[in-house]
Amino acid sequence: ILVLGGSSGFIELYAYGMFKIARIVGTCLALCLSSDLKSLSVVTEVSAGGASEVSYFQLETNLLYSFLPEVTRMARKFTHISALLQYINLSLTCMCEAWEEILMQMDSRLTKFVQEKSTTTSVQDEFMHLLLWGKASAELQTLLMNQLTVKGLKKLGQSIESSYSSIQKLVISHLQSGSESLLYHLSELKGMASWKQKYEPLGLDATGIEDAITAVGSFILKANELLQVIDSSMKNFKAFFRWLYVAMLRMTEDHVLPELNKMTQKDITFVAEFLTEHFNEAPDLYNRKGKYFNVEKVGQYLKDEDDDLVSPPNTEGNQWYDFLQNSNHLKESPLLFPYYPRKSLHFVKRRMENIIDLCLQKPAVSVKKKCMPLWKSETECTRRLFKFPFLWNNKTSNLHYLLFTILEDSLYKMCILRRHTDISQSVSNGLIAIKFGSFTYATTEKVRRRTSFTSSAYSCLDAQFYDDETVTVVLKDTVGREGRDRLLVQLPLSSVYNSEDAAEYQFSGAYSTRLDEQCSAIPTRTMHFEKHWRLLESMKAQYVAGNGFRKVSCVLSSNLRHVRVFEMDIDDEWELDESSDEEEEASNKPVKIKEEVLSEPEAESQQAGAAAAAPQVVIKVEKLDPELDS
């Protein structure tokens, strides 16, 4: 399940990253869905009157947990349907590309002929005269020989045949098969919706799915109509171009092959019907399309427009169509797919997509929530990629963890909030604050030298869970000297949640009240470290990211330009002595991975010398040794 949230005002849950199963109103700074799918932890920020209040919500998603097999089946169906819709879109795009602009030449040249001719005879009569008597007027002869030409007519006929054949194959092989598959999956989804015990709690709506099935049926009907138009147009154009080609050869007194010269009465009748149907002038069409003619009828189905078809199919004399129109019962029957004779294929496709999207937006997850206000700031919090608070889900113990600091009131404490993924259950030590006390160094054999940082002035800059049992923290020593005031610490949770003194660290306040108003009620544990810490020298470390599976922690500087990567193993003891002689000895010890790193003062001096240099990130990879030999 993919969970998306941010400043948009909505939190959305998607199964397989595609099928939306929930939408919750609210902005968020951080979120985490539990692995058992019982609850979703969200940290929100609400701004009002120049101040912002940060709160923690735990949203119950038990419906996902209880109906996970059903949600999975619905999501799989949705992925099939979504993929088929995309497939149909691509097929329609290929059909539009197969249709060529050259097919419009006949319409545009006939329109130009109407505008330029001086006689009152219609274009239809001109061609009829040529068909019956074999003679053309001077103006028609000029149109045919100078504008259309014998070579141009032959090329136009080949283009029409090639283009129509390609579109026909795409409709049969892809558009129809994709639509039928879509109809199959929607019918299965309708069957699932009929099992109300399983799918009704998820909001699957049988009525909406029936509407989607009907819309797909209408699209299939329109695709079949396009096939009929293509088939009819190919036959008409083939006969018309064959007759016109012979007529133009005779005008040029060229030799006409005997097989072309044969024309039966049936062929003459066919061409005459074609001229009667397609060569009528339509002045109202000129205002819409800038042409008087619409001889080419396939392109109107492929244009992505809301306008009605210029030349809709002729339904006069169709017995089935007349029967449906005269029957009130069948006209409203849900068993018959509605037919849109005046709409294009694109229009019916868009309508189908909208209805399918609507029927698949119904599934939803009902949500209960627990709210805990954390703190209120007088200035709106700045949103950055790396920033407290941090959420973590412990899959083994089914716990939500939240790491945060109450910035204004408790600078030197890091708070850890933990909640059970089942909001009806509670856990001990639900809220505890960590104060970092002293950091000492000692070898494992014997204490040779001991250096202690006991200023008790360590502020927490950033923290993330390294694994289920350890938190990686970046600290700043507020009284330390420049370049030696940042520490990287591995905080074991076993020492935080010590079962022996757990009763002493119970939160005595109320979770319904903001925590910054009851800081004294938050139990505070002071931690002292003799191992699992490292002094970060020559770097203003600010952010951290850890990965316990890969045993790596990554530290980023405050100016977002320097990165240091540490190979870590929390089972070993890793410490650092502050004295200079130990540093010299440690520097002679071989390091596993070593790359040059620029300190920030050096980087700044280089930037001043080369202002045009592009910003870059400098990375150093280090091995944290368990011991440093003297």
Side-chain angles (χ1 to χ4, degrees):
I1 293 178
L2 170 68
V3 188
L4 299 179
S7 58
S8 62
F10 294 99
I11 301 167
E12 297 178 333
L13 281 71
Y14 292 85
Y16 293 101
M18 297 177 67
F19 177 53
K20 184 159 63 175
I21 51 179
R23 193 180 196 191
I24 305 160
V25 178
T27 58
C28 75
L29 295 176
L31 50 80
C32 181
L33 181 66
S34 64
S35 58
D36 58 8
L37 304 180
K38 288 186 176 181
S39 62
L40 172 68
S41 284
V42 181
V43 180
T44 66
E45 178 187 5
V46 179
S47 300
S52 61
E53 181 170 325
V54 178
S55 302
Y56 168 78
F57 288 89
Q58 189 175 4
L59 309 174
E60 182 189 68
T61 55
N62 256 333
L63 206 60
L64 284 179
Y65 166 76
S66 304
F67 292 90
L68 184 59
E70 288 74 26
V71 171
T72 302
R73 292 188 196 103
M74 286 169 57
R76 284 175 179 165
K77 278 296 162 194
F78 176 81
T79 54
H80 283 304
I81 292 168
S82 178
L84 285 169
L85 286 173
Q86 187 178 10
Y87 181 76
I88 290 171
N89 260 322
L90 290 172
S91 301
L92 201 51
T93 302
C94 292
M95 289 164 57
C96 294
E97 291 173 352
W99 184 84
E100 300 177 10
E101 289 291 335
I102 193 175
L103 306 183
M104 302 298 294
Q105 286 188 14
M106 180 65 75
D107 295 337
S108 59
R109 285 174 180 172
L110 288 175
T111 299
K112 187 177 180 182
F113 174 63
V114 171
Q115 292 171 332
E116 292 180 352
K117 73 185 182 70
S118 58
T119 61
T120 58
T121 313
S122 68
V123 175
Q124 186 185 96
D125 291 341
E126 294 270 5
F127 276 92
M128 278 291 190
H129 191 274
L130 177 63
L131 174 65
L132 296 176
W133 307 107
K135 294 181 180 180
S137 66
E139 290 180 329
L140 180 59
Q141 191 166 347
T142 303
L143 166 70
L144 296 177
M145 304 310 297
N146 296 342
Q147 293 190 31
L148 199 57
T149 73
V150 175
K151 187 177 180 181
L153 181 68
K154 193 173 182 179
K155 182 180 179 182
L156 181 59
Q158 291 173 347
S159 297
I160 287 178
E161 187 174 359
S162 173
S163 179
Y164 283 4
S165 297
S166 300
I167 296 172
Q168 195 174 40
K169 289 175 183 177
L170 286 167
V171 174
I172 295 171
S173 302
H174 301 286
L175 204 66
Q176 281 188 327
S177 60
S179 304
E180 289 165 3
S181 298
L182 188 61
L183 199 62
Y184 165 77
H185 286 294
L186 284 170
S187 299
E188 279 209 333
L189 203 61
K190 180 185 173 183
M192 292 162 59
S194 301
W195 194 352
K196 294 187 177 181
Q197 289 178 331
K198 290 283 187 180
Y199 294 96
E200 193 173 48
L202 298 175
L204 200 58
D205 182 21
T207 305
I209 297 171
E210 286 178 0
D211 294 339
I213 290 173
T214 303
V216 175
S218 299
F219 181 74
I220 293 175
L221 287 180
K222 184 57 68 172
N224 288 334
E225 180 189 314
L226 176 59
L227 280 179
Q228 293 173 8
V229 171
I230 291 174
D231 189 54
S232 174
S233 296
M234 287 179 72
K235 290 178 182 177
N236 291 341
F237 275 120
K238 198 168 185 180
F240 173 71
F241 284 140
R242 180 183 176 184
W243 161 73
L244 193 58
Y245 180 67
V246 172
M248 292 173 68
L249 285 177
R250 286 174 180 162
M251 289 178 194
T252 58
E253 298 181 353
D254 287 344
H255 174 67
V256 180
L257 297 175
E259 57 269 19
L260 292 177
N261 208 13
K262 293 178 182 179
M263 194 167 185
T264 64
Q265 184 63 38
K266 186 178 179 181
D267 293 335
I268 294 174
T269 305
F270 194 81
V271 174
E273 290 176 352
F274 176 77
L275 293 173
T276 304
E277 184 180 354
H278 293 80
F279 281 67
N280 282 324
E281 295 180 26
D284 57 326
L285 179 62
Y286 187 80
N287 296 328
R288 289 175 56 189
K289 303 293 181 182
K291 298 189 297 289
Y292 292 109
F293 301 91
N294 193 48
V295 178
E296 200 285 309
K297 293 187 175 182
V298 174
Q300 60 182 347
Y301 285 86
L302 304 178
K303 290 186 177 179
D304 194 2
E305 299 174 352
D306 291 332
D307 294 343
D308 290 348
L309 295 178
V310 175
S311 300
N314 186 10
T315 56
E316 292 181 10
N318 188 312
Q319 295 179 354
W320 172 250
Y321 189 78
D322 293 340
F323 173 66
L324 290 182
Q325 291 298 108
N326 297 327
S327 173
N328 293 328
H329 296 290
L330 287 178
K331 194 185 297 184
E332 304 296 331
S333 173
L335 301 176
L336 297 177
F337 296 138
Y339 178 52
Y340 301 95
R342 295 189 172 275
K343 296 299 181 182
S344 69
L345 187 66
H346 260 290
F347 177 87
V348 180
K349 188 263 299 182
R350 281 203 311 273
R351 181 180 176 276
M352 175 187 72
E353 288 176 334
N354 293 335
I355 293 176
I356 290 176
D357 288 343
L358 189 64
C359 88
L360 294 178
Q361 283 177 358
K362 290 288 182 68
V365 177
S366 59
V367 170
K368 296 179 182 178
K369 62 184 179 181
K370 284 186 176 180
C371 175
M372 182 187 305
L374 299 179
W375 72 82
K376 187 172 183 179
S377 174
E378 294 304 321
T379 57
E380 187 175 353
C381 296
T382 56
R383 291 184 175 89
R384 299 187 67 172
L385 182 60
F386 308 93
K387 190 180 185 298
F388 271 148
F390 181 79
L391 283 164
W392 178 266
N393 172 232
N394 187 319
K395 301 177 179 63
T396 307
S397 56
N398 292 327
L399 292 173
H400 280 300
Y401 285 91
L402 173 66
L403 305 178
F404 64 97
T405 55
I406 305 175
L407 301 177
E408 286 81 3
D409 300 317
S410 184
L411 184 63
Y412 303 112
K413 295 179 184 178
M414 180 183 73
C415 298
I416 305 179
L417 174 72
R418 65 175 181 174
R419 284 285 176 272
H420 201 280
T421 55
D422 188 345
I423 65 173
S424 61
Q425 299 185 34
S426 60
V427 292
S428 60
N429 302 118
L431 178 62
I432 191 170
I434 303 300
K435 193 172 184 178
F436 296 92
S438 62
F439 294 84
T440 58
Y441 169 74
T443 62
T444 53
E445 297 176 358
K446 61 181 180 177
V447 178
R448 306 191 58 176
R449 282 181 297 276
R450 195 172 188 86
T451 303
S452 176
F453 299 93
T454 57
S455 63
S456 297
Y458 296 103
S459 61
C460 186
L461 299 179
D462 196 13
Q464 280 197 8
F465 268 80
Y466 178 78
D467 55 29
D468 285 342
E469 304 298 330
T470 311
V471 177
T472 303
V473 188
V474 171
L475 299 177
K476 178 182 179 181
D477 184 1
T478 55
V479 297
R481 71 176 187 267
E482 184 77 16
R484 297 178 63 83
D485 58 346
R486 310 294 169 103
L487 279 74
L488 180 65
V489 180
Q490 294 284 78
L491 173 65
L493 292 182
S494 57
S495 59
V496 175
Y497 299 105
N498 192 339
S499 57
E500 296 178 0
D501 57 358
E504 300 178 16
Y505 294 95
Q506 295 296 335
F507 178 58
S508 59
Y511 286 114
S512 58
T513 307
R514 280 209 326 262
L515 295 183
D516 58 356
E517 296 176 350
Q518 46 179 346
C519 286
S520 58
I522 302 176
T524 303
R525 183 187 287 274
T526 303
M527 303 294 297
H528 302 279
F529 293 84
E530 289 189 357
K531 54 184 179 179
H532 303 325
W533 63 274
R534 173 77 181 243
L535 182 66
L536 301 175
E537 298 185 84
S538 304
M539 182 183 189
K540 293 181 180 179
Q542 183 74 27
Y543 307 107
V544 67
N547 189 315
F549 181 77
R550 298 183 181 275
K551 299 189 182 299
V552 165
S553 284
C554 183
V555 179
L556 180 64
S557 64
S558 57
N559 64 1
L560 308 181
R561 292 191 67 254
H562 293 80
V563 178
R564 293 174 76 174
V565 181
F566 297 92
E567 289 184 326
M568 311 180 79
D569 190 347
I570 59 173
D571 294 331
D572 295 333
E573 296 180 359
W574 48 290
E575 309 93 5
L576 185 69
D577 191 356
E578 193 188 21
S579 60
S580 59
D581 55 345
E582 282 189 0
E583 291 170 5
E584 293 174 1
E585 294 164 1
S587 64
N588 296 324
K589 188 175 180 64
V591 180
K592 183 177 179 182
I593 301 176
K594 195 175 191 179
E595 292 187 12
E596 183 180 357
V597 62
L598 294 178
S599 66
E600 294 196 14
E602 293 172 340
E604 290 170 1
S605 63
Q606 287 191 12
Q607 289 174 1
Q616 56 183 344
V617 176
V618 185
I619 301 176
K620 181 178 181 181
V621 184
E622 301 182 5
K623 171 75 174 178
L624 295 181
D625 299 300
E627 298 179 19
L628 295 176
D629 297 334
S630 62

